[in-house]
């Protein structure tokens, strides 16, 4: 690479980092506070910001439950997101805690790595379950670098120990949860199946069951279901929440979600530990995820009398 080009690329990287650092540093919340952790690196994945949302009363109600969420830059302030939308996590979480509908909790927001998001979030071991002939097909997915195992190691070995040490939280799995949407839904499910001793429940929202483009024929969705069948824990200590809308990208999900629901029923999951919900006219975006976030949060963190919230 020419020296001048190398200098230009370095300058662009610096300016990009500076822009996004300023953006998330200046995120304005409706309630609570947002802290950015010191840089935490892990070999094999790109560095990324990790932020912690604390409710207004923190730490008065310690110990707090912990909800880990992916795509952290999209959770709090639409003025700092790429599409002008947000999950509204601070508003919804604060309201549910104040109303006593959930236990007190904090949110650990792991930003995605941009172009590396798919490689970080796709359930890595699922690709290995495709037939050998399918894995030989000349398709970008078969050549892609998958890093989900490293990403989860980063979360478990670096981020969680920091949270457990520096925040007034419960460390047991009964108070440790994980959630995300689309590919973030897949990695959230993968996290519970790979680390059932760490997480007790997940919310996989608008789960991207195709794994790749929804109209492509490579049997990726089938391999994800095979991984689920082989690794789903017996009912009793874990809970699973799935949902999807009916418009835009979500319109492809109903038959795939129904196939997953069959696996859940066959394994013995029921209304006490599993939900699969459809939200008519909801689309595949933060606006829709915000509109139904309370359902997922109450399923994960709700007090006993609120678990059946509709």
């Amino acid at each position: 690479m020419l020296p001048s080009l190398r200098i230009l690329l370095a300058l662009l990287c610096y300016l990009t980092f500076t822009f996004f650092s300023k953006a998330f540093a200046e995120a304005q919340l409706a309630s609570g506070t947002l802290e950015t952790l010191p840089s935490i690196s892990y070999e094999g994945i790109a560095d990324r910001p990790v932020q912690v949302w604390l409710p207004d009363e923190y730490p008065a109600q310690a110990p707090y439950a912990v909800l880990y969420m992916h795509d952290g830059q999209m959770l709090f302030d639409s003025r700092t997101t790429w599409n002008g939308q947000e999950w509204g996590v601070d508003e919804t979480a604060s309201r549910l805690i104040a109303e006593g509908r959930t236990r007190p909790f904090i949110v650990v927001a792991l930003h995605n790595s941009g172009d590396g998001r798919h490689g970080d979030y796709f359930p890595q071991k699922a690709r290995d379950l495709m037939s050998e002939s399918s894995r030989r097909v000349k398709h970008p997915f078969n050549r892609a670098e998958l890093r989900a195992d490293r990403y989860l190691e980063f979360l478990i070995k670096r981020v969680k120990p920091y949270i457990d040490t520096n925040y007034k939280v419960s460390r047991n799995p009964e108070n440790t949860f994980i959630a995300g949407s689309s590919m973030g839904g897949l990695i959230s499910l993968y996290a519970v199946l790979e680390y059932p001793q760490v997480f007790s429940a997940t919310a996989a929202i608008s789960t991207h069951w195709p794994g790749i483009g929804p109209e492509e024929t490579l049997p990726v969705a089938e391999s994800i279901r095979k991984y689920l069948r082989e690794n789903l824990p017996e009912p009793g200590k874990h809970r699973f929440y799935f949902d999807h809308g009916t418009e835009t990208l979500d319109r492809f999900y109903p038959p795939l979600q129904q196939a997953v629901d069959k696996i859940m029923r066959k394994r013995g999951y029921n209304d006490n530990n599993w939900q699969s919900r459809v939200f008519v006219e909801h689309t595949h975006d933060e606006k829709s995820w915000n509109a139904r976030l309370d359902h997922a949060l109450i399923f994960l963190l709700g007090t006993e009398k609120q678990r059946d919230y509709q």
Side-chain angles (χ1 to χ4, degrees):
M1 184 183 297
L2 295 175
S4 59
L5 180 57
R6 187 181 299 114
I7 293 171
L8 177 60
L9 289 175
L11 178 60
L12 288 174
C13 289
Y14 170 78
L15 291 174
T16 300
F17 176 80
T18 301
F19 172 79
F20 283 109
S21 296
K22 182 178 180 182
F24 70 72
E26 294 179 350
Q28 297 182 24
L29 304 181
S31 61
T33 58
L34 196 61
E35 299 182 352
T36 301
L37 301 190
S39 178
I40 304 175
S41 296
Y42 196 72
E43 184 179 356
I45 65 168
D47 291 351
R48 68 204 64 214
V50 179
Q51 296 180 281
V52 180
W53 175 81
L54 305 171
D56 285 327
E57 72 280 359
Y58 179 90
Q61 296 177 285
Y64 288 79
V66 185
L67 172 61
Y68 292 88
M69 296 189 73
H70 312 286
D71 297 314
Q73 59 264 60
M74 306 301 296
L75 302 183
F76 302 107
D77 188 349
S78 61
R79 288 166 294 190
T80 64
T81 63
W82 69 269
N83 62 356
Q85 297 186 30
E86 61 169 289
W87 284 67
V89 168
D90 50 323
E91 293 97 331
T92 303
S94 293
R95 173 172 51 82
L96 294 177
I97 294 172
E99 293 172 353
R101 300 171 75 182
T102 65
R103 73 194 77 173
F105 66 98
I106 72 170
V107 177
V108 180
L110 297 93
H111 289 219
N112 69 52
S113 62
D115 291 344
R117 180 175 180 270
H118 185 273
D120 288 345
Y121 288 179
F122 184 85
Q124 190 166 340
K125 293 183 174 65
R127 185 169 66 178
D128 298 335
L129 297 177
M130 289 197 306
S131 68
E132 185 177 349
S133 59
S134 294
R135 285 185 278 118
R136 287 201 303 264
V137 172
K138 292 183 178 180
H139 187 283
F141 174 74
N142 284 331
R143 299 191 299 271
E145 178 189 3
L146 301 183
R147 298 172 297 274
D149 290 345
R150 300 295 289 173
Y151 175 72
L152 291 182
E153 288 176 7
F154 162 70
L155 195 165
I156 300 300
K157 296 181 180 181
R158 294 289 189 270
V159 178
K160 188 177 187 299
Y162 187 95
I163 298 299
D164 290 347
T165 300
N166 292 278
Y167 291 89
K168 296 184 181 302
V169 298
S170 171
R171 302 181 182 187
N172 63 47
E174 292 76 20
N175 286 294
T176 307
F177 311 96
I178 192 163
S181 63
S182 193
M183 291 299 299
L186 285 182
I187 191 63
S188 297
L189 174 65
Y190 193 54
V192 176
L193 302 187
E194 288 291 295
Y195 293 93
Q197 76 281 12
V198 175
F199 304 102
S200 63
T202 183
I205 296 167
S206 288
T207 320
H208 189 62
W209 295 117
I212 53 175
E215 295 176 320
E216 298 186 58
T217 58
L218 198 67
V220 177
E222 182 181 336
S223 73
I224 295 172
R225 292 194 298 272
K226 185 175 182 181
Y227 171 82
L228 177 63
R229 282 192 295 268
E230 293 182 1
N231 294 277
L232 184 65
E234 294 299 321
K237 294 184 178 181
H238 297 86
R239 295 179 294 115
F240 297 87
Y241 173 96
F242 303 112
D243 75 16
H244 61 80
T246 59
E247 306 300 324
T248 63
L249 186 58
D250 279 30
R251 76 185 189 276
F252 294 98
Y253 295 162
L256 300 175
Q257 183 64 61
Q258 291 162 15
V260 168
D261 292 345
K262 289 181 181 178
I263 296 173
M264 303 298 292
R265 290 192 196 94
K266 186 173 182 181
R267 187 58 63 88
Y269 280 84
N270 56 39
D271 291 344
N272 294 323
N273 46 36
W274 162 56
Q275 284 189 15
S276 181
R277 307 192 61 167
V278 180
F279 291 87
V280 177
E281 297 186 356
H282 279 218
T283 53
H284 193 87
D285 57 25
E286 286 77 14
K287 182 178 179 180
S288 288
W289 301 328
N290 168 263
R292 62 186 193 257
L293 179 59
D294 53 349
H295 296 271
L297 293 182
I298 288 174
F299 177 86
L300 293 179
L301 295 132
T303 56
E304 289 301 321
K305 64 181 180 181
Q306 288 291 328
R307 286 281 176 80
D308 60 352
Y309 171 73
Q310 298 296 323

